[in-house]
Amino acid sequence: MPQIVVENLAKTYQVPIRRPGLWGAFTGIAKRSYRQVDALDNISFSIDEGELVGYIGPNGAGKSTTIKIISGILNPDSGRCEIDGRVPWEDRVAHVSQIGVVFGQRTQMWWDLPVIESFDLLRDIYRVDTTEYLKTKDELVERLEIGDLLNVPVRLLSLGQRMRCDLVAALLHRPSILFLDEPTVGLDSVSKLIFREFIREINKERGLSVILTTHDMDDIEALCKRVMVIGKGQILSDGPLSALRNQISPERLLIVDFETEISQLEGIQAAVLENDGHRARLSFNPNQISASELIAQVSALHPVRDLFVENPPIEETIARLYTENKL
Amino acid sequence: MSGYRALISARFRTLLQYRSAAIAGFTTQVFFGLIFVLIFEAFFESSSLPQPMSYPEVVTYIWLGQAFIMMLPWNVDRDLQALIRSGGVSYELLRPMDLYTAWFSRAVALRTAPVALRAFPLLLITALFFDLTAPESPAAAMAFVVTMIGAIILSCAITNFISISMMWTVSGDGIASFAPAIVMMFSGMIVPIPFFPDWIQTIIRILPFSGLVDTPYRLYLGHLPASDLGFLFAHQIIWSFAFILLGRWMLNRGLRRMTVQGG
C-alpha cells in the first residue's frame, strides 16, 4: 500500500497577458486577457513509505506545482491524490501536520526571533506534546550541531547554519514525509556533505519518506536510488538512476595513459574521443564490449601506464534527456 | 499554548524591543498633543458661543487620543506586505493553522505592543503636567475599559482587512495611503465628532471608525452617558464582525486567485 498516490494530476494556470507599451497598459486595466499555461499534464506516480525519491526537471517543468499540490496548498484541476489516506487540499490542516518542508530559497522560521523561539513557536503551532518535543529537539540539535546557534536570531545565521536549523524545524513535529525543495542551493561543500549524511541517516533510521527536488545532480547521485524526471508537465522517466543512465547515455568512458607516445588507436571496439598522444579518452558501450575486454584490446596495442573507467557525468546525462525531449 | 496565542506572544515580544521607536514616538505624541491643545485653546478663546464639548474635556480627549494612537489601524503590517509581494503567501498554508486567524493574531500584537510601550508614560506625563483628568465616574471608567477592548478588536479587524486587500493591490500602497486619512478623520482623532456639522455626525455615527476613538474617550469623559455602553459596544462588535467576515471572504478569493495565476 503506497503512502503517496498521484493519479492523472492536471493543473493549468491562467497567466494574465499585458500588451506591451502604453496602450497595452491602458487596455489592460479595462479588460484582462489570459493565456493558458499547462503546468501539469496528467501525471501519475506512487511512492511507498520510507522511499527517498529524487524529483528533477528543467525550470518551469512543473516540479513546484507538483510539490504544492501534494503538500495541499494548491488544488489541481483534475486528477486524484491520496497521501496517508487523505486528500491533501481537502484535509489541509490534518495533512500539513504530518509533513515537513524545507525550502532552500526561503526559511520557515521567523526572521527576527532567536532560533529556539522559532522552535518553541512551531511546537505550539503543531501541538507537539512537550516531553516529546524536548526529546526530538535535543536529539536533532545534537545531530546537526546547532546547539550554539539556538539563541541567535535567524537573520544573523549563515546559509549553512540556517539550512541546518531549517531541517530541525521541519522535523520537530515528527512528520512522516519530508519535502526538500532545492535545499542545497548556495551551500558550501561541508554543509552539503552534512546535509546528505543527515538525510541518508534519517531516511534509513526512521523510515521517513523523502522527496528531494533539486538541480544538483550530486545530491541525486548521493541520495536517491529512484529518480522521477518531469518535463513540460509530463513524467519522462521514473525509476532507478542506473536505469536512467542506461537508457539515455549507456556509454562509459575509458581513459588511458600510455607509456610512450602513440599516434593512432585502431582496431578497438570503442570511439576515440580524444588522443593527445599520451592520454586517450575512449567511449564504449558496455552492452557491446565489457570494460575488461576493451582494456585487454588497448593493452595489446600499446603499453599502458594507467587507466580509469568512468560514467559520463550525470549532468550530461540529464542535459541530454532534456534536449532529446526538447525541453 | 495554542498556536495563535503563541504567535501573538512571540510577535508582541518582538515589537516590545523597538524601544527607540517608542521613545521617538513618545516625543512625537507629546509634541502633536500640544499642538492640538494649542489650536483648541485658540479656538475656544476666539469663540463666545457654547461648544459641544468644554475645553478641559477636549484637552483630556486629545491626550487620550495621543496615548493610544498606536492602537489605530493607521499602517500596514510591513512583513505581510513583503510576504504578499514576494508571492510567499501560499507557503503560509503549510502550517496547520487557519490563515485568517494567524494574520489576525499578528494584528493583535501589532495593535497592542507599541501602545503598551507608549501609553503609560504618556498618560503619566500628561496627567502630571498637561491636565489629563481622571474618568468622570467609576461607571465611566468601566465603560471606557470595555469599549477600549472593543476598539482593539475593531482595529484588528480593520487592520487584517487592509492587509488582505494587499493581495489585490500587490504594492500595498493603494489602500495604505488613504486608510490612515479616513481612519483619522472619521474616528474623531483630528476633530472630536461633536464638533462636526449635525448632518455629517449622523453619517459618522453609522460608520465603524467612531468606535475606535470617539466612543471610548467620550465615555471616559462622561460626555457619552455610561448607559449608552450597550449600544456603543454592540456597534463596535457588529462592525468588527462585518470586517472579519469580509476579510475571510477576501482571503479565500485572494488565495484562490494567486494559485490560479501561478503564485
Side-chain angles (χ1 to χ4, degrees):
Chain A
M1 182 64 206
Q3 188 183 29
I4 301 175
V5 176
V6 165
E7 224 176 87
N8 288 326
L9 229 42
K11 180 73 184 173
T12 305
Y13 290 129
Q14 316 271 7
V15 180
I17 316 175
R18 237 268 301 257
R19 296 249 244 359
L22 204 55
W23 181 241
F26 277 117
T27 53
I29 297 176
K31 180 172 179 284
R32 280 289 196 81
S33 33
Y34 296 90
R35 67 184 169 94
Q36 311 254 57
V37 174
D38 292 325
L40 292 180
D41 185 5
N42 290 327
I43 62 166
S44 305
F45 58 85
S46 71
I47 297 177
D48 289 325
E49 204 174 322
E51 279 198 74
L52 212 185
V53 182
Y55 192 43
I56 64 177
N59 300 322
K63 293 194 300 297
S64 301
T65 307
T66 316
I67 299 293
K68 283 184 185 174
I69 290 178
I70 61 184
S71 31
I73 65 183
L74 186 60
N75 296 26
D77 293 332
S78 64
R80 182 183 147 244
C81 171
E82 219 179 84
I83 299 183
D84 276 332
R86 281 184 214 104
V87 179
W89 57 91
E90 282 175 13
D91 267 322
R92 184 184 65 89
V93 173
H95 172 66
V96 299
S97 307
Q98 299 301 317
I99 68 175
V101 191
V102 177
F103 295 102
Q105 318 264 27
R106 42 178 283 134
T107 178
Q108 285 259 60
M109 294 183 288
W110 283 265
W111 203 237
D112 31 26
L113 291 181
V115 171
I116 185 67
E117 290 196 29
S118 272
F119 289 171
D120 290 340
L121 199 43
L122 287 168
R123 170 202 64 201
D124 291 327
I125 288 175
Y126 283 91
R127 298 180 190 284
V128 186
D129 166 70
T130 316
T131 344
E132 276 239 27
Y133 162 73
L134 288 171
K135 202 175 86 175
T136 312
K137 175 184 64 111
D138 290 338
E139 191 190 317
L140 288 169
V141 165
E142 202 193 305
R143 252 345 223 303
L144 284 163
E145 294 174 36
I146 58 169
D148 292 335
L149 303 176
L150 288 179
N151 289 312
V152 178
V154 173
R155 66 173 191 276
L156 294 180
L157 297 173
S158 76
L159 192 57
Q161 294 170 328
R162 204 207 77 204
M163 187 272 297
R164 299 199 323 255
C165 294
D166 265 320
L167 267 177
V168 175
L171 294 169
L172 285 172
H173 56 287
R174 301 195 90 100
S176 54
I177 305 173
L178 182 63
F179 294 113
L180 300 166
D181 191 355
E182 311 260 7
T184 58
V185 153
L187 288 184
D188 62 61
S189 309
V190 177
S191 301
K192 279 194 192 179
L193 290 177
I194 293 177
F195 164 80
R196 287 178 201 160
E197 179 73 34
F198 178 75
I199 295 296
R200 205 181 296 131
E201 279 175 12
I202 206 170
N203 165 253
K204 207 154 44 139
E205 284 171 24
R206 297 221 207 137
L208 176 67
S209 317
V210 179
I211 300 182
L212 171 64
T213 306
T214 184
H215 283 302
D216 186 336
M217 290 309 152
D218 293 326
D219 283 344
I220 297 284
E221 236 180 334
L223 292 171
C224 308
K225 289 198 189 61
R226 174 179 166 196
V227 178
M228 299 192 299
V229 185
I230 184 171
K232 283 210 195 121
Q234 295 180 335
I235 303 260
L236 300 172
S237 167
D238 183 357
L241 192 56
S242 49
L244 182 64
R245 226 195 226 114
N246 223 22
Q247 176 199 336
I248 303 298
S249 41
E251 75 281 358
R252 298 169 85 192
L253 298 173
L254 173 65
I255 297 149
V256 191
D257 284 342
F258 294 105
E259 283 283 358
T260 53
E261 196 157 330
I262 178 170
S263 50
Q264 291 243 51
L265 271 172
E266 282 170 355
I268 49 172
Q269 263 176 282
V272 181
L273 299 176
E274 265 176 59
N275 180 9
D276 66 358
H278 296 279
R279 171 176 282 203
R281 289 170 67 93
L282 307 172
S283 163
F284 69 97
N285 187 334
N287 295 324
Q288 291 170 355
I289 176 173
S290 77
S292 49
E293 281 171 358
L294 181 60
I295 290 172
Q297 280 184 9
V298 172
S299 315
L301 270 184
H302 205 89
V304 164
R305 192 173 53 161
D306 194 8
L307 49 75
F308 26 102
V309 184
E310 277 180 8
N311 285 320
I314 186 72
E315 297 280 4
E316 282 184 21
T317 307
I318 301 297
R320 200 183 299 186
L321 177 62
Y322 293 167
T323 43
E324 274 176 16
N325 284 277
K326 300 194 188 55
L327 300 174
Chain B
M1 217 203 293
S2 98
Y4 304 113
R5 262 179 61 194
L7 266 180
I8 297 177
S9 167
R11 190 88 191 112
F12 191 91
R13 274 177 288 130
T14 308
L15 287 169
L16 281 184
Q17 287 168 24
Y18 288 82
R19 274 185 261 276
S20 7
I23 293 172
F26 174 87
T27 320
T28 312
Q29 259 85 77
V30 170
F31 182 74
F32 259 89
L34 281 173
I35 300 254
F36 276 109
V37 166
L38 290 172
I39 292 174
F40 272 96
E41 190 181 327
F43 169 74
F44 273 93
E45 279 186 12
S46 67
S47 164
S48 49
L49 296 168
Q51 297 301 333
M53 287 170 78
S54 70
Y55 176 71
E57 284 179 325
V58 171
V59 169
T60 297
Y61 181 98
I62 289 170
W63 288 120
L64 285 173
Q66 291 302 313
F68 294 108
I69 193 172
M70 296 303 281
M71 179 207 81
L72 298 175
W74 65 276
N75 65 344
V76 288
D77 188 328
R78 292 277 163 221
D79 289 344
L80 281 186
Q81 185 180 32
L83 186 71
I84 291 173
R85 214 182 277 188
S86 72
V89 183
S90 29
Y91 295 110
E92 293 276 287
L93 292 171
L94 285 171
R95 299 207 206 284
M97 302 180 95
D98 175 62
L99 191 58
Y100 182 88
T101 316
W103 284 10
F104 195 93
S105 307
R106 288 186 66 98
V108 171
L110 185 62
R111 297 303 173 216
T112 52
V115 173
L117 280 177
R118 291 168 175 76
F120 293 123
L122 256 166
L123 290 173
L124 190 64
I125 297 292
T126 55
L128 288 174
F129 300 116
F130 296 126
D131 304 320
L132 175 80
T133 58
E136 187 251 5
S137 65
M142 201 206 69
F144 169 71
V145 169
V146 173
T147 49
M148 277 303 279
I149 294 173
I152 291 176
I153 296 173
L154 180 58
S155 177
C156 292
I158 296 176
T159 302
N160 220 14
F161 172 78
I162 296 176
S163 300
I164 291 167
S165 73
M166 288 194 288
M167 292 170 92
W168 272 266
T169 58
V170 182
S171 77
D173 290 332
I175 299 230
S177 5
F178 69 78
I182 294 189
V183 167
M184 292 302 174
M185 178 60 81
F186 292 122
S187 63
M189 268 304 283
I190 313 264
V191 175
I193 292 173
F195 288 87
F196 279 80
D198 285 328
W199 66 272
I200 297 186
Q201 283 192 50
T202 327
I203 299 174
I204 292 183
R205 281 188 220 291
I206 301 174
L207 291 176
F209 310 106
S210 58
L212 294 167
V213 172
D214 179 72
T215 301
Y217 305 152
R218 284 208 291 140
L219 280 170
Y220 178 104
L221 291 168
H223 200 260
L224 282 168
S227 51
D228 276 357
L229 174 62
F231 168 75
L232 292 168
F233 187 65
H235 181 262
Q236 290 175 318
I237 296 302
I238 290 171
W239 270 112
S240 301
F241 256 110
F243 274 106
I244 288 174
L245 288 174
L246 188 59
R248 293 197 79 105
W249 180 77
M250 278 173 63
L251 184 57
N252 285 332
R253 296 283 318 256
L255 286 170
R256 221 176 303 146
R257 185 168 157 274
M258 287 191 131
T259 57
V260 161
Q261 289 178 6

